[in-house]
Amino acid sequence: MKILILNGSSRRSGTTGKLLLAFKEELRKNPKVEIQYIDIEDMDIDYCRGCSICYRTGKCIIEDDGDAFSKAIEHADAVIFGSPTYASNISGKMKVLIDRGHFVMEQLMHGKYFISVTTFENYGGKNVIKVINNLLSFSGGYKVGQLVVKNDFNNNPLNNPLIGSKINSLSKDLNLAISNGKRYIFQKVKWFFVFNFGIKPFAEKRGSDYQAVFESWDKKGIKY
């Protein structure tokens, strides 16, 4: 099992980082699990220029860590995405990464599993978890679960035993989902409508300008 964990906070040891590292330690108890942990602060990632060339060629014109990150997801069985709440939204650098990633149109998460994590101190955590969930589910992923934690600045969230218990439970659920190839019927039906009545007709109107998108669908076995 290959699991990718992304810490979308610039504070490596902040609240979000502590939770994600706890996930890492819990998942490592399974000897079959291979984990890649990425701090977004370590990534060289530039702003998307909106040229749409990647939809035709399958490759971004910007040479940095953007495409490498998409490749890492492509080779993973599951991802854990974590972001703190800034101004009731995901972190700025995580938004840049999402803009650059080949997510929704190319169906980067098709058939993969995910856990979403967000932390907040005052307000907006529910907004952030919704952003992450929509992104990954619209990209074809199955949500195993989520963790939303309200926490005071610089306080260790793991001092709360209920949070540690939740991480343990979600880690077990993720292991089982990957091992058993679990399919979430309601989520699959929701994705079917999003893809067939939103994403697919939009791409088809662009024709050859979206050649790499169609090739991505073929590679993933998506019928269209």
Side-chain angles (χ1 to χ4, degrees):
M1 302 179 193
K2 294 184 178 180
I3 300 175
L4 173 67
I5 301 176
L6 172 69
N7 178 14
S9 172
S10 293
R11 302 179 71 229
R12 292 180 177 83
S13 300
T15 300
T16 305
K18 284 182 170 64
L19 295 175
L20 294 176
L21 287 171
F23 269 107
K24 179 181 177 182
E25 290 305 309
E26 192 64 41
L27 289 165
R28 285 176 61 184
K29 294 177 181 178
N30 183 345
K32 296 181 180 179
V33 171
E34 177 184 327
I35 298 174
Q36 182 177 5
Y37 187 96
I38 297 177
D39 278 307
I40 202 166
E41 188 63 19
D42 294 331
M43 298 182 68
D44 174 23
I45 184 82
D46 199 1
Y47 297 104
C48 175
R49 298 173 188 173
C51 64
S52 295
I53 290 175
C54 61
Y55 292 147
R56 187 178 73 249
T57 66
K59 188 178 186 304
C60 183
I61 61 171
I62 304 172
E63 295 184 359
D64 57 12
D65 293 333
D67 277 357
F69 178 74
S70 295
K71 287 292 183 184
I73 292 181
E74 186 178 331
H75 294 129
D77 298 300
V79 299
I80 300 178
F81 264 50
S83 175
T85 299
Y86 295 161
S88 296
N89 213 319
I90 57 176
S91 66
K93 199 163 185 178
M94 190 168 186
K95 178 60 170 67
V96 174
L97 185 62
I98 290 172
D99 290 346
R100 288 285 310 285
H102 304 277
F103 282 98
V104 177
M105 197 56 63
E106 293 95 329
Q107 292 294 286
L108 182 62
M109 287 290 298
H110 184 71
K112 302 180 187 296
Y113 302 94
F114 72 89
I115 292 174
S116 50
V117 178
T118 191
T119 61
F120 69 107
E121 185 177 12
N122 181 30
Y123 178 80
K126 290 182 179 180
N127 296 339
V128 173
I129 209 71
K130 184 176 181 180
V131 168
I132 299 173
N133 288 339
N134 283 344
L135 169 75
L136 301 181
S137 61
F138 292 169
S139 301
Y142 293 113
K143 186 182 84 166
V144 174
Q146 64 182 41
L147 182 62
V148 181
V149 174
K150 184 176 182 180
N151 189 55
D152 291 335
F153 186 70
N154 280 341
N155 183 50
N156 187 348
L158 299 174
N159 289 334
N160 183 342
L162 293 178
I163 293 177
S165 177
K166 179 68 172 178
I167 290 173
N168 177 275
S169 176
L170 286 172
S171 298
K172 289 180 179 178
D173 289 344
L174 184 60
N175 272 319
L176 286 173
I178 299 172
S179 297
N180 299 330
K182 185 174 181 178
R183 292 295 178 260
Y184 297 79
I185 301 302
F186 177 76
Q187 293 187 45
K188 191 172 181 65
V189 170
K190 181 180 178 181
W191 169 84
F192 176 87
F193 282 98
V194 169
F195 179 78
N196 285 283
F197 295 97
I199 298 168
K200 175 184 171 182
F202 182 86
E204 288 178 333
K205 287 181 182 178
R206 270 80 185 157
S208 60
D209 285 340
Y210 274 42
Q211 182 60 37
V213 171
F214 302 129
E215 291 174 357
S216 176
W217 296 352
D218 286 334
K219 185 177 180 180
K220 295 176 177 66
I222 301 174
K223 296 180 179 179
Y224 59 96

